[in-house]
Amino acid sequence: MHIKTATFIISNTDVAKCPNEPLPEYAFIGRSNVGKSSLINMLTERKSLAKISGRPGKTQLINHFKINGNWFLVDLPGYGYARVSKKSKKTFQKYITDYFAKREQLVCAFVLVDIRHEPQKIDMEFMEWLGQNAIPFCIIFTKADKLKPKAIERAINAYLAELIAGVWEEAPQYFVTSSSKKMGRDDVLGYIDAINDEFFKKTLR
Ligand code: GTP
Ligand code: MG
């Protein structure tokens, strides 16, 4: 897919104030620092569309970016990081769960996980929560440039095995990406393109 336009539209913490056009929307979620904002820039080939930082907690709002005039990418704050109490660190911020629970335009959530890390409880819990709320999601493994091909394969197999050993009957669709190496771009955009096609076929019917 060619990205002709990628435009920042609005930031907020209230799902009711998100753009109200009936366009398909894809949200990027995961632990702080996993590379959500970097991935959005990589996919759109825009260096600083989404704000990036080496320090966790950079993205603090729900950010809507309109792509090619007819779909949205959404950059979200990370979970699992808070300078406040341990208790609030464990829970997902209310406005983020509200966004997922109420956003009708959301067609797929991309849950990002750092390919170097073992499955983390907070990611597992978030995926379970998405499942319970019937929200479709895929896993995006990030920072694949940090591992060699064999280690990538091992990491993915171990991750998927743990999912299947848990509550999931089958492994979700997944993608392997590196924002610094531009890896996985065509796969993720191809997936989005296919969903968009379905979406517009249905709405034109
Ligand atoms: P928050 O907004 O704080 O939740 O973080 P985020 O998930 O948006 O992460 P962000 O894109 O800001 O990236 C965090 C750090 O990881 C930055 O230092 C990035 O340069 C680095 N990073 C992101 N993607 C990659 C990648 O594919 N490879 C490598 N090596 N580093 C990456
Ligand atoms: Mg961010």
Side-chain angles (χ1 to χ4, degrees):
M1 185 195 326
H2 179 56
I3 308 289
K4 292 183 285 282
T5 57
T7 319
F8 167 73
I9 304 293
I10 194 170
S11 291
N12 60 70
T13 56
D14 182 356
V15 62
K17 292 185 187 144
C18 292
N20 64 10
E21 294 158 278
L23 297 175
E25 170 165 320
Y26 303 82
F28 294 78
I29 184 74
R31 291 179 354 126
S32 274
N33 219 40
V34 69
K36 300 174 292 295
S37 303
S38 302
L39 187 71
I40 287 180
N41 291 340
M42 187 271 265
L43 293 174
T44 55
E45 295 183 300
R46 306 297 194 272
K47 265 206 188 96
S48 45
L49 184 66
K51 292 201 181 87
I52 289 170
S53 168
R55 282 183 33 222
K58 178 68 181 172
T59 309
Q60 289 292 339
L61 300 165
I62 303 168
N63 300 288
H64 273 77
F65 302 101
K66 198 175 199 178
I67 314 298
N68 291 347
N70 63 2
W71 57 282
F72 284 104
L73 283 180
V74 180
D75 193 16
L76 293 167
Y79 50 65
Y81 171 81
R83 265 167 284 191
V84 272
S85 69
K86 267 202 179 137
K87 186 166 175 277
S88 58
K89 196 174 165 182
K90 281 273 171 210
T91 52
F92 306 110
Q93 277 166 288
K94 172 93 169 53
Y95 73 91
I96 299 178
T97 47
D98 257 10
Y99 165 82
F100 282 101
K102 295 182 182 159
R103 189 69 175 156
E104 283 173 10
Q105 290 91 331
L106 183 74
V107 288
C108 180
F110 290 110
V111 179
L112 275 61
V113 297
D114 188 320
I115 195 151
R116 298 169 296 175
H117 299 163
E118 310 251 294
Q120 307 277 311
K121 195 162 173 251
I122 196 159
D123 294 321
M124 296 291 171
E125 283 174 0
F126 193 74
M127 287 186 245
E128 248 180 87
W129 183 86
L130 288 172
Q132 284 157 4
N133 287 277
I135 297 162
F137 72 92
C138 297
I139 295 178
I140 292 190
F141 294 100
T142 65
K143 308 193 185 185
D145 55 285
K146 299 275 193 185
L147 294 182
K148 299 210 166 78
K150 277 259 159 59
I152 291 179
E153 206 183 307
R154 267 200 303 276
I156 292 169
N157 288 339
Y159 203 98
L160 298 179
E162 185 141 338
L163 281 178
I164 294 166
V167 297
W168 300 99
E169 270 171 35
E170 49 182 302
Q173 167 98 35
Y174 69 88
F175 301 94
V176 181
T177 68
S178 160
S179 295
S180 48
K181 291 259 156 52
K182 274 197 149 194
M183 181 179 168
R185 184 174 182 270
D186 291 347
D187 293 340
V188 175
L189 287 180
Y191 185 78
I192 290 175
D193 213 11
I195 298 182
N196 283 348
D197 279 353
E198 279 302 308
F199 182 96
F200 290 115
K201 254 189 236 155
K202 264 188 216 150
T203 51
L204 289 175
R205 214 176 270 158

